Amino acid sequence: MLCLRKILPLLALLFICASCHFDQTFTEFRDFSEKGWNRYDTLTFSPEIKETGKYNLFVDTRNNNQYNYQNVWMFISCKQDSGVLFSDTLEVKLADKLGNWFGSGWGSLYELTTPVKNSFTLNQGKHYTFRIVQGMRDYDLKGMESVGFHIEKAQ
């Protein structure tokens, strides 16, 4: 019985680790000060692509209860050595009309993943730069704690 008590937690941990996603090629976050996300802060992400293929691109947001809006508008672009590959406006819906936050949360912090592009071709050896700027009217978006960008291999 004692041996079973030791083995069960280890088996549960092994199961949890096995169910995690290991297909993420790139993940990076930019944290903001207490003032929030300044409208002139350009977030830059430069992943190293190790294998040519199709990838899914995502923006990750982390906000707290001090954020005053249901959404956040962003301008996102992808530049490669040869020029701009895309430039787009993205609306990330953070809460419903009643103020219930989307995504996962713990305490007063909420995280949400939003797709940007699916099956986007990235080539090994090429230099890519992804830039994100907030497109809201506020000078500082108080309550926005960090924004991240991640890339996963498309299935």
Side-chain angles (χ1 to χ4, degrees):
M1 188 70 159
L2 181 62
C3 188
L4 188 59
R5 286 185 183 164
K6 290 181 180 179
I7 292 175
L8 237 54
L10 289 174
L11 288 174
L13 183 62
L14 182 63
F15 177 75
I16 290 169
C17 289
S19 66
C20 293
H21 293 283
F22 290 105
D23 56 354
Q24 286 194 356
T25 302
F26 175 84
T27 302
E28 209 168 272
F29 275 86
R30 299 288 184 267
D31 295 329
F32 306 120
S33 70
E34 288 181 22
K35 292 181 182 178
W37 188 4
N38 184 280
R39 78 171 339 153
Y40 298 111
D41 286 344
T42 299
L43 311 179
T44 303
F45 303 93
S46 298
E48 180 183 339
I49 305 304
K50 296 180 180 177
E51 181 182 336
T52 297
K54 300 278 186 185
Y55 294 87
N56 298 325
L57 313 177
F58 301 89
V59 168
D60 302 305
T61 53
R62 290 179 183 155
N63 66 285
N64 62 39
N65 288 330
Q66 299 296 311
Y67 191 72
N68 290 322
Y69 304 103
Q70 292 177 300
N71 64 355
V72 59
W73 287 93
M74 300 179 192
F75 304 114
I76 184 167
S77 65
C78 173
K79 186 177 179 184
Q80 190 216 12
D81 302 328
S82 60
V84 176
L85 298 180
F86 72 83
S87 184
D88 209 350
T89 303
L90 179 68
E91 179 188 16
V92 177
K93 295 190 178 215
L94 300 173
D96 64 19
K97 291 181 180 184
L98 298 175
N100 299 309
W101 299 108
F102 296 134
S104 60
W106 56 94
S108 64
L109 185 66
Y110 300 90
E111 184 171 330
L112 181 67
T113 297
T114 304
V116 175
K117 295 273 184 198
N118 290 321
S119 295
F120 187 74
T121 302
L122 297 173
N123 296 299
Q124 176 185 5
K126 299 288 184 178
H127 181 261
Y128 295 91
T129 303
F130 296 89
R131 289 189 170 92
I132 304 173
V133 178
Q134 63 111 326
M136 301 293 280
R137 294 181 181 174
D138 290 3
Y139 186 77
D140 291 309
L141 289 180
K142 186 174 182 176
M144 190 59 69
E145 297 213 2
S146 60
V147 170
F149 183 75
H150 83 264
I151 300 172
E152 293 179 358
K153 191 96 168 130
Q155 300 298 328

